[in-house]
Amino acid sequence: MAFIKIDKKNLYYNLNQLSLKSGNKLKLAAVLKDNAYGHGIELMAKLVSEYGLKEAVVIDIAEATKITNYFDNILILNGTPIVSSKFSFAVTSIEALKSAPIGAKIELKVDTGMHRNGITLDEVKEAIEIIKSQRLNLFGVFTHYKSADELSSELLWQEYNFKKVKQSFLDANLKVRFHSHNSAALLRSSSFNEDIARVGIAMYGFNELPEVYDNLELKPILSLWANRCSTRELKKGQRVGYGGDFEASCDIVVSTYNVGYGSGLFRGSRLSPMLTSEGLPILGRVSMDFISLESTKDEVCIFDNAKEVAKHFNTISYEITTSLKANIKRFVV
Ligand SMILES: *Cc1c(COP(=O)(O)O)cnc(C)c1O
C-alpha cells in the first residue's frame, strides 16, 4: 500500500499564520470533516490539539466520537442532536429546531445567501421564539459563505446579512457564539472579530484566494508516497500496463509502485499523464493498485502539493486530498 506523510512543521507554520489572522489560536476551530480532508482525522486531531486548538468541526457523530478527547467542543455539521457536553449540533431548519431535545447544544445555521441549508433571514424571529419557548440550549449561531474565495463582493453582502442576524440574537438577550469565516474569509479579513473561525483548507496548506488577496504563503502538509514492488527492463517497442498505452521508444528500466486509483489517486486520461513530484510521468494507465514509473528508487513521492495535482486534473485541492482512502497508512514527520 501507498503511504502518506503529514508534515508537522508545516502544519504548525500554517496554524501560526492563521492565529495571526484570528488574533488568537483559541479562536481557530479545526475543520476535520471527511477524515480531515483525507489527511487522517485522528492523527490531525492529535496534532492540532497538541498545538493548542480546543475546537473542531466534523461531519457526523461517528467522526466526533473518534476525536472526543482532544477538544472542548466539536461542532457536528450533519447529525441529529443529542444531549452531550462535548458535541454541538448544526440545526439547519425550523423543523429540526422544533424537534431538538432540551439540553442538546445546538448551533443554528442561518442562510445568508448560499441557499444550501440554514433557516432563512425571514425565519430568524420565529426561531428565536421557538428557542425561548422550548428552552433550547442555543450554543451558537453561524453562517457559511458561498464565494469568499472569489474575486467578488458577495462576501460583503453575506456579512451584512449576518450582522443583522447577530443583532437579532443580541436584542433577544441570547448569549451565543457567532461564527461565519471559513479559510478564505479569514485570509481575506483584516479585522476578524467573531468567536471562532472554521478553518479547513488553509490549515492543510492551501490558499485558494485569487492573487490580489494573496498575501499569505501557506505550506501543504500532506505528501503521498509509494513503494517499489518490482523492476524490469522494457525493451524498445514493448508496452506497459492495461491497453499497453505507453510504448518504450528505447530500452528503459521501469518499476511498478503500489499506488493506484484504489488508493484514491485519480486515473485521469492516458493522453496527459500526471507527473510525480520529481517530474516523472506515470507510464501508461493507472491501475487499481499499481502504476509504472521510470525509476528504481525504493520509495517515490507521488505528490507533495495537491494544488498542482488538482490543476492537472482540473479540480480543486480539496478533492485530491479527500479522495485518499482511509486505509492508507499515515505518518507524522
Ligand atoms: C468545510 C467547511 C468549512 C471549511 O472550509 P475551508 O474552505 O476548507 O476553510 C467551514 N465551514 C463549514 C460549514 C464547512 O462545511
Side-chain angles (χ1 to χ4, degrees):
M1 243 288 177
F3 61 100
I4 284 169
K5 293 184 187 174
I6 300 294
D7 188 318
K8 178 170 163 176
K9 204 167 96 260
N10 285 1
L11 171 65
Y12 287 5
Y13 169 87
N14 297 336
L15 288 172
N16 284 339
Q17 299 297 306
L18 293 168
S19 301
L20 292 175
K21 278 281 180 184
S22 67
N24 182 338
K25 66 180 164 189
L26 296 177
K27 286 195 166 197
L28 296 178
V31 180
L32 300 175
K33 66 187 180 195
D34 292 275
N35 199 28
Y37 293 31
H39 290 65
I41 188 167
E42 281 144 301
L43 174 152
M44 283 298 301
K46 184 163 186 288
L47 287 175
V48 302
S49 93
E50 281 169 8
Y51 179 85
L53 302 200
K54 301 287 183 201
E55 297 285 336
V57 181
V58 299
I59 197 66
D60 56 21
I61 293 190
E63 284 193 338
T65 307
K66 287 181 188 162
I67 58 170
T68 310
N69 294 335
Y70 294 111
F71 300 101
D72 288 352
N73 187 76
I74 302 171
L75 166 59
I76 296 169
L77 294 172
N78 190 230
T80 307
I82 53 165
V83 178
S84 157
S85 60
K86 275 281 175 84
F87 302 163
S88 61
F89 291 83
V91 168
T92 64
S93 69
I94 291 287
E95 300 85 274
L97 188 62
K98 282 181 182 160
S99 58
I102 294 176
K105 270 160 88 177
I106 58 177
E107 303 209 49
L108 186 66
K109 180 153 187 198
V110 183
D111 174 11
T112 55
M114 185 162 177
H115 303 330
R116 192 176 59 177
N117 52 36
I119 65 162
T120 66
L121 297 175
D122 292 340
E123 290 170 332
V124 167
K125 207 164 147 257
E126 187 188 352
I128 289 173
E129 281 161 14
I130 296 167
I131 288 157
K132 289 199 157 175
S133 67
Q134 294 189 202
R135 300 176 180 279
L136 298 176
N137 180 8
L138 185 70
F139 181 65
V141 173
F142 75 108
T143 193
H144 196 40
Y145 297 129
K146 67 172 172 179
S147 47
D149 58 352
E150 283 167 21
L151 188 51
S152 88
S153 59
E154 290 202 89
L155 173 65
L156 307 179
W157 164 65
Q158 280 195 268
E159 276 179 335
Y160 176 72
N161 286 338
F162 194 49
K163 200 169 141 191
K164 286 191 292 186
V165 171
K166 288 179 189 168
Q167 197 55 52
S168 304
F169 283 87
L170 293 174
D171 290 347
N173 267 321
L174 288 167
K175 282 212 170 54
V176 298
R177 66 178 192 178
F178 293 112
H179 47 105
S180 63
H181 290 60
N182 57 1
S183 296
L186 182 65
L187 291 171
R188 258 174 90 166
S189 82
S190 50
S191 53
F192 179 78
N193 64 1
E194 290 187 343
D195 297 300
I196 54 165
R198 306 179 306 263
V199 291
I201 202 73
M203 176 172 74
Y204 302 110
F206 302 101
N207 184 338
E208 297 284 349
L209 292 179
E211 293 285 311
V212 280
Y213 299 117
D214 225 348
N215 47 16
L216 205 69
E217 190 217 347
L218 298 168
K219 299 179 179 175
I221 67 171
L222 176 147
S223 52
L224 176 67
W225 295 73
N227 294 113
R228 186 171 64 86
C229 311
S230 65
T231 297
R232 73 205 58 246
E233 192 180 24
L234 213 56
K235 297 281 184 202
K236 180 181 172 183
Q238 283 187 321
R239 301 182 302 154
V240 69
Y242 285 113
D245 284 338
F246 173 80
E247 181 177 325
S249 57
C250 56
D251 295 356
I252 56 171
V253 175
V254 301
S255 299
T256 302
Y257 290 90
N258 59 358
V259 68
Y261 59 83
S263 334
L265 188 66
F266 282 27
R267 181 170 174 275
S269 157
R270 65 192 170 86
L271 300 174
S272 62
M274 176 189 149
L275 304 182
T276 69
S277 63
E278 318 169 49
L280 295 173
I282 293 177
L283 304 179
R285 288 186 210 171
V286 173
S287 300
M288 195 179 293
D289 298 296
F290 300 109
I291 57 168
S292 298
L293 296 172
E294 189 176 355
S295 174
T296 53
K297 281 188 184 169
D298 286 334
E299 280 180 4
V300 289
C301 180
I302 306 300
F303 67 80
D304 56 10
N305 184 340
K307 202 169 171 176
E308 285 170 8
V309 182
K311 215 178 283 168
H312 179 82
F313 289 111
N314 207 1
T315 180
I316 51 177
S317 52
Y318 297 73
E319 193 184 12
I320 298 298
T321 60
T322 305
S323 299
L324 297 171
K325 297 288 153 62
N327 63 351
I328 303 176
K329 284 229 160 43
R330 283 144 168 95
F331 302 96
V332 178
V333 293

